[in-house]
Amino acid sequence: MIGNHRILTAMLSLSFPFAVLPWGQKGHDTVAYVAECRLTPDARAAAEDLLDGKSIVYYANWLDNASHTPEYAYSKTWHYKNIDADENFANAKINENGDIVSALDSRISVLADTTRSKEDRALALKMVVHLLGDLHQPLHLGHASDLGGNRHEVRFFKNATNLHSVWDSKLVEAGHKWSYTEWKEQIDRTTPEQENDILRLTTPAEWAEETYGIAQEVYRHTPVDMNIEYTYIVEWTPVVEQQLLKGGVRLAKVLNDALSE
């Protein structure tokens, strides 16, 4: 049994050698829960109706699995926007299969369109909840040449890994051993002024460009083969907190605008 398990694991790693993962499950759950707690009564009721009584947190990670099924394989490139070191956000090559910015623009439009079917709007809601989280993970605005940091090899406490994996979940778990509800309770303590600052940028393109700027700083401060330990965690955990909070606050605004009467 153990041998078969190892063979299966090896086969899966060969099938998906550089899968582009987003925030880990806890990060996505945190973004969704921050948003859920900020929904208007109308928006919450509309969302639960579209999701047949389930919450947006229930579907926060759904798209990661769905994108690897034949039915939703078209959405694989929707989780990120690759921008190489010799490009900038404004002149980055356009992916003909779509990227996270174009996907969010189109799915938000479907979600807000009450003439569309419940099935179409429910699918759009599931996608928007997930992609708003992805948009705030810096390595989802990473370089095409290293597949968003998946080929940018580093070490985490001397264990071989890659930059994307560090930002996907390792920093979240190393920064705080909290549940997603505890994450929400600890990071969502904004003043009205802080909330207004988060919502000063209003479109997926503006949010993506902001995240792209953070990604450039991450690359500058994380050279290949760097051994990431306590100092890095202390320095970058506040950025993780900031990005999860921004994702949740902005997701709530999108859903309240699209679903409130």
Side-chain angles (χ1 to χ4, degrees):
M1 182 66 69
I2 293 175
N4 290 338
H5 175 74
R6 287 174 177 169
I7 291 170
L8 177 59
T9 301
M11 290 173 65
L12 289 172
S13 67
L14 289 172
S15 299
F16 304 102
F18 297 109
V20 179
L21 299 172
W23 293 120
Q25 290 187 351
K26 190 173 292 183
H28 274 291
D29 289 347
T30 299
V31 169
Y33 191 53
V34 168
E36 182 180 60
C37 293
R38 290 170 164 268
L39 294 181
T40 66
D42 282 347
R44 180 188 288 261
E48 290 179 355
D49 178 64
L50 288 174
L51 300 177
D52 295 327
K54 291 183 169 63
S55 75
I56 60 173
V57 177
Y58 182 91
Y59 283 105
N61 291 280
W62 174 83
L63 191 58
D64 273 339
N65 293 318
S67 290
H68 289 286
T69 66
E71 184 176 3
Y72 301 107
Y74 63 84
S75 67
K76 282 184 180 180
T77 65
W78 290 10
H79 296 252
Y80 58 88
K81 182 179 177 69
N82 281 335
I83 302 170
D84 261 331
D86 61 348
E87 302 174 319
N88 58 43
F89 187 85
N91 68 14
K93 297 181 185 70
I94 300 299
N95 189 326
E96 62 182 16
N97 296 314
D99 61 35
I100 194 167
V101 176
S102 62
L104 274 167
D105 283 337
S106 65
R107 296 309 92 193
I108 291 170
S109 178
V110 170
L111 179 62
D113 185 352
T114 56
T115 69
R116 300 292 292 261
S117 69
K118 177 181 177 179
E119 182 181 15
D120 286 348
R121 296 182 74 211
L123 177 58
L125 176 56
K126 295 172 189 176
M127 289 181 164
V128 168
V129 168
H130 184 84
L131 295 176
L132 245 297
D134 280 354
L135 191 71
H136 290 82
Q137 206 275 53
L139 274 298
H140 279 253
L141 278 295
H143 297 161
S145 59
D146 65 17
L147 300 182
N150 277 283
R151 287 177 170 159
H152 187 107
E153 296 178 357
V154 295
R155 288 165 292 137
F156 194 78
F157 290 93
K158 299 182 180 179
N159 293 309
T161 185
N162 63 71
L163 185 58
H164 196 107
S165 179
V166 168
W167 277 85
D168 167 33
S169 57
K170 288 181 172 62
L171 274 180
V172 176
E173 296 295 343
H176 303 290
K177 287 294 184 184
W178 294 335
S179 67
Y180 75 83
T181 57
E182 290 170 325
W183 267 95
K184 185 273 171 191
E185 292 300 324
Q186 295 302 320
I187 68 175
D188 190 8
R189 301 182 176 213
T190 56
T191 65
E193 293 75 18
Q194 290 169 331
E195 184 169 341
N196 288 337
D197 186 59
I198 291 172
L199 296 175
R200 175 179 52 83
L201 303 178
T202 60
T203 68
E206 290 176 325
W207 301 333
E209 187 167 12
E210 179 187 64
T211 301
Y212 163 74
I214 296 170
Q216 302 319 296
E217 290 301 309
V218 171
Y219 275 112
R220 271 193 283 273
H221 289 87
T222 321
V224 170
D225 292 331
M226 178 180 182
N227 183 42
I228 293 170
E229 293 189 307
Y230 298 105
T231 300
Y232 191 97
I233 293 168
V234 169
E235 290 177 350
W236 289 99
T237 293
V239 177
V240 172
E241 296 169 3
Q242 163 197 285
Q243 291 304 101
L244 293 176
L245 176 62
K246 284 183 175 180
V249 171
R250 290 166 175 168
L251 175 58
K253 181 66 165 61
V254 166
L255 299 185
N256 284 332
D257 288 349
L259 297 175
S260 295
E261 295 292 335

